[in-house]
Amino acid sequence: MRQLVEIMSQSVEMKKICKQELEVKIDQTSCVLESLVLHNLQLNRTYEEETEKIHNNMQELELEIENLKGNANVRRHIVGSDGDAMVKMAKAQIDLEARETALQDKTMTLAQKERVTNDEYQDARKEMIQLWNMNEDLMSGDKIRVKRMGQLNPEPFIAAVKMKHGGQNQEQRIRLSS
């Protein structure tokens, strides 16, 4: 009897140690997940701010280009063949082309930044999923879940069928319900 008590006390101690190790591992994993979530939010904010700035600049440039085109068209109709006016129009046309080139460059820069930000976002997402998959058994009670398309969790479905149809022919009813 005494040996049984000693064995059980040792088993309880071992379980306490395992529980403490699991709690430490859960704490570490949750800290990493929290940092990944914060990093993701920061990336999204930065991306939105940069996109808004570039979008505003692009709109300003487009308005300037439209104004310059309109001014150039008006000058062509008014001036006719005046030499000095032709020089001004040529300069305005060169300025217009330079601004159009700047707009195209900014558009390309925006597209490149968007790709880089999207790559960073996808890497952070993959790291978070990988971390989740490594510690899925530890995270069963947390709010974060990973759902892949086409992957089903049969446990809630089976429980619902059992509640609805009772214990009669469960396997057959489950197959028919699915």
Side-chain angles (χ1 to χ4, degrees), residues 55-65:
H55 183 68
N56 289 339
N57 287 340
M58 287 174 50
Q59 285 181 337
E60 289 175 9
L61 281 174
E62 287 174 352
L63 285 174
E64 282 186 48
I65 289 170

Side-chain angles (χ1 to χ4, degrees), residues 85-178:
M86 293 298 274
V87 171
K88 287 181 182 179
M89 281 183 28
K91 287 181 182 178
Q93 186 68 27
I94 291 171
D95 187 38
L96 176 65
E97 291 171 0
R99 289 180 187 224
E100 284 180 341
T101 304
L103 178 63
Q104 290 174 352
D105 290 344
K106 287 189 177 190
T107 303
M108 294 299 284
T109 302
L110 176 63
Q112 289 173 348
K113 283 185 179 181
E114 184 176 1
R115 276 187 239 123
V116 168
T117 304
N118 189 34
D119 290 344
E120 288 176 0
Y121 178 73
Q122 291 299 324
D123 289 343
R125 181 182 168 273
K126 286 177 185 176
E127 186 177 341
M128 193 167 156
I129 289 172
Q130 196 174 44
L131 186 66
W132 177 263
N133 286 338
M134 288 187 321
N135 297 309
E136 192 170 323
D137 57 328
L138 301 177
M139 300 294 183
S140 60
D142 287 343
K143 294 179 182 177
I144 298 174
R145 295 283 183 255
V146 176
K147 179 70 176 170
R148 293 188 182 91
M149 288 187 66
Q151 185 181 21
L152 298 176
N153 185 2
E155 294 170 6
F157 176 72
I158 291 171
V161 169
K162 285 179 181 179
M163 285 178 55
K164 184 176 181 180
H165 298 291
Q168 305 167 353
N169 296 328
Q170 288 179 8
E171 289 183 27
Q172 182 182 7
R173 291 187 190 267
I174 289 172
R175 274 189 255 127
L176 292 174
S177 296
S178 64

Side-chain angles (χ1 to χ4, degrees), residues 65-82:
I65 289 170
E66 290 300 320
N67 285 338
L68 287 174
K69 283 182 181 179
N71 288 341
N73 287 336
V74 169
R75 286 182 188 163
R76 273 192 211 121
H77 292 295
I78 292 175
V79 171
S81 63
D82 186 16

